[in-house]
Amino acid sequence: MRPAEVARAAADFVRRHHSEEQLGDPAPRLAEIDTELAATGTYTHTPQELVFGARVAWRNANRCIGRLYWRSLRVRDLRGLTGAQEIAAACADHLREAAPGGRIRPLITVFAPDAPGRPGPRIWNEQLIRYAGYVQRDGHVVGDPRGAGLTALARRLGWHGGAGTPFDVLPLVVQRVPHEKPRCFDLPPDAVLEVPLQHPEFTWWPELGLRWHAVPALANMCLEIGGICYGAAPFNGWYMGTEIGARNLADTDRYNLLPYLAHRLGLDTSSDRSLWKDRALVELNRSVLHSFDRAGVTIADHHTESHRFLTHIGREEARGRTVGADWSWIVPPMSGSTTAVFHRTYDTTESTPSFVHHPDAHARARGEERAVTRHDRQPTPWHDLV
Ligand code: ARG
């Protein structure tokens, strides 16, 4: 962002903050920011601005169905941490704080922002907890194919961990500054709450050895507030069952479990018209919800979350705000038309503060160090060292 754009974005944000929180005249704060911008090319959010900005970024997440509780987001302000190891340790603390006793609370940890000539840290993982994917000789992947790129990168960086099971938790890949080689840190096991899957009726289900982690914590989206980019700001909510049961474990380019489950369930898989995929999908999703409930770990079902989202829209509109939303992300990936969110359209306008995906963040999450280096135009590419 050019300095003039930062100034404009800062002013918009500060005005919104003052009006929504009824803080009175924003002029003194605007003048203060102008002075800081002129002297340093950037400015520093107050703790109150950071909390408000992070909450509104969630409120503005057009793909998120779970925004009813946006005001409850807790913010850990760790802008002062600089070392890769400290950042990794703070991420582990984040996971512990996010799920005390299985009760999940929405939480964000904010590390140092980018400043002119002084970019902040980056977490390469797309989520704090993700599973490794080990590509076999024949191309088959043990684990999560989505994690294959980062698994390979972690190995190139010297990661030795990983027992080779389908559910090995990836190490955190943390980069203190862009031209420095990223470092791997194993998450301490006590920071990683997982739920083994069982089924309300089929007693053989646990033999399948399926599991999923309790906390979805996106780690590579940039939190953008008033023209300032926080490139490392991991945040979490709780899961909606279909994210696990209808996508992570079911997608053909992920764990692709439906054919195997259909076989175990004795379904006729000779024709799509028997709806074996649909039937296996329902059992898998029942298993996810049932197992989390049994383990006392917060999880939402898609029917409840759809109702909540419409409540959210109602509340926001009553306050004179429109809710932007992306239909293709809001509608659950199974039984869409049985939920009310399916039967309407949404305003697709995007607003800031927001969480954004930079293209280089996607490349990093796939473990592509070269693409990243080119994008960031680093003079001394560290990838020669790997
Ligand atoms: N869909 C992603 C996953 O399955 C998580 C995205 C965020 N989800 C959430 N409930 N906050 O891991």
Side-chain angles (χ1 to χ4, degrees):
M1 244 188 233
R2 284 191 299 274
E5 291 172 316
V6 176
R8 199 171 328 111
D12 283 351
F13 169 67
V14 166
R15 289 206 187 89
R16 169 176 295 281
H17 181 214
H18 278 69
S19 81
E20 279 195 31
E21 305 277 89
Q22 295 163 11
L23 302 175
D25 183 6
R29 178 61 181 140
L30 289 171
E32 198 174 81
I33 289 175
D34 276 345
T35 309
E36 198 181 343
L37 274 173
T40 68
T42 186
Y43 70 102
T44 312
H45 288 129
T46 64
Q48 294 75 15
E49 285 168 349
L50 188 66
V51 170
F52 177 75
R55 289 179 177 164
V56 175
W58 183 11
R59 190 176 84 196
N60 286 336
N62 286 9
R63 294 171 165 186
C64 175
I65 193 174
R67 288 178 270 167
L68 177 61
Y69 303 110
W70 66 273
R71 279 190 164 282
S72 74
L73 180 69
R74 293 163 188 247
V75 179
R76 295 170 76 219
D77 180 357
L78 296 184
R79 287 176 285 176
L81 281 196
T82 50
Q85 186 150 14
E86 280 106 319
I87 290 171
C91 289
D93 286 338
H94 176 121
L95 291 170
R96 293 185 188 99
E97 267 185 61
R103 235 189 96 99
I104 295 182
R105 41 193 194 191
L107 182 67
I108 183 167
T109 298
V110 185
F111 297 110
D114 289 344
R118 192 163 40 85
R122 296 284 184 274
I123 298 166
W124 283 44
N125 313 60
E126 68 170 1
Q127 291 192 29
L128 296 182
I129 306 175
R130 286 261 102 164
Y131 296 116
Y134 305 103
V135 184
Q136 310 296 295
R137 262 177 223 291
D138 63 357
H140 164 81
V141 176
V142 171
D144 192 344
R146 195 172 170 112
L150 203 72
T151 304
L153 173 74
R155 292 223 150 141
R156 292 201 292 283
L157 290 169
W159 180 58
H160 297 300
T165 79
F167 297 100
D168 289 354
V169 175
L170 279 166
L172 290 175
V173 179
V174 181
Q175 197 172 25
R176 200 179 61 95
V177 282
H179 59 272
E180 232 177 64
K181 190 167 152 175
R183 293 172 59 192
C184 290
F185 301 92
D186 274 312
L187 280 167
D190 76 289
V192 184
L193 181 60
E194 291 181 283
V195 179
L197 298 192
Q198 46 176 306
H199 189 279
E201 283 139 37
F202 306 121
T203 51
W204 47 267
W205 202 273
E207 289 163 24
L208 299 171
L210 303 177
R211 58 204 291 118
W212 204 256
H213 55 91
V215 182
L218 298 200
N220 68 348
M221 291 187 87
C222 176
L223 167 61
E224 205 180 298
I225 304 174
I228 302 293
C229 277
Y230 295 91
F235 61 89
N236 75 277
W238 50 77
Y239 262 119
M240 179 164 89
T242 54
E243 298 184 84
I244 303 167
R247 300 298 310 280
N248 301 343
L249 294 177
D251 278 1
T252 51
D253 60 354
R254 300 291 299 286
Y255 280 81
N256 190 23
L257 281 168
L258 298 184
Y260 180 65
L261 291 176
H263 163 73
R264 294 292 304 254
L265 288 162
L267 302 176
D268 168 16
T269 57
S270 65
S271 157
D272 283 350
R273 294 172 71 87
S274 74
L275 299 190
W276 61 267
K277 291 180 193 170
D278 311 67
R279 294 179 65 189
L281 191 63
V282 169
E283 296 313 329
L284 178 54
N285 279 274
R286 289 180 70 207
S287 145
V288 169
L289 293 172
H290 172 80
S291 308
F292 272 63
D293 286 346
R294 277 293 180 85
V297 174
T298 312
I299 194 162
D301 65 79
H302 48 294
H303 300 289
T304 305
E305 216 53 73
S306 297
H307 285 302
R308 286 180 183 156
F309 186 61
L310 295 180
T311 304
H312 171 63
I313 293 181
R315 277 196 200 167
E316 286 297 308
E317 287 177 349
R319 292 194 180 93
R321 295 191 287 257
T322 36
V323 175
D326 180 338
W327 191 97
S328 70
W329 277 72
I330 296 296
V331 172
M334 67 184 284
S335 314
S337 64
T338 68
T339 64
V341 294
F342 175 98
H343 301 276
R344 51 165 294 165
T345 57
Y346 302 95
D347 187 321
T348 56
T349 311
E350 288 173 17
S351 316
T352 54
S354 58
F355 290 105
V356 289
H357 255 133
H358 291 310
D360 50 322
H362 283 305
R364 278 192 291 266
R366 288 191 299 262
E368 295 168 12
E369 60 267 46
R370 270 158 216 279
V372 173
T373 305
R374 206 177 315 119
H375 184 90
D376 289 349
R377 286 191 211 89
Q378 288 306 318
T380 45
W382 56 266
H383 68 251
D384 292 338
L385 310 170
V386 178

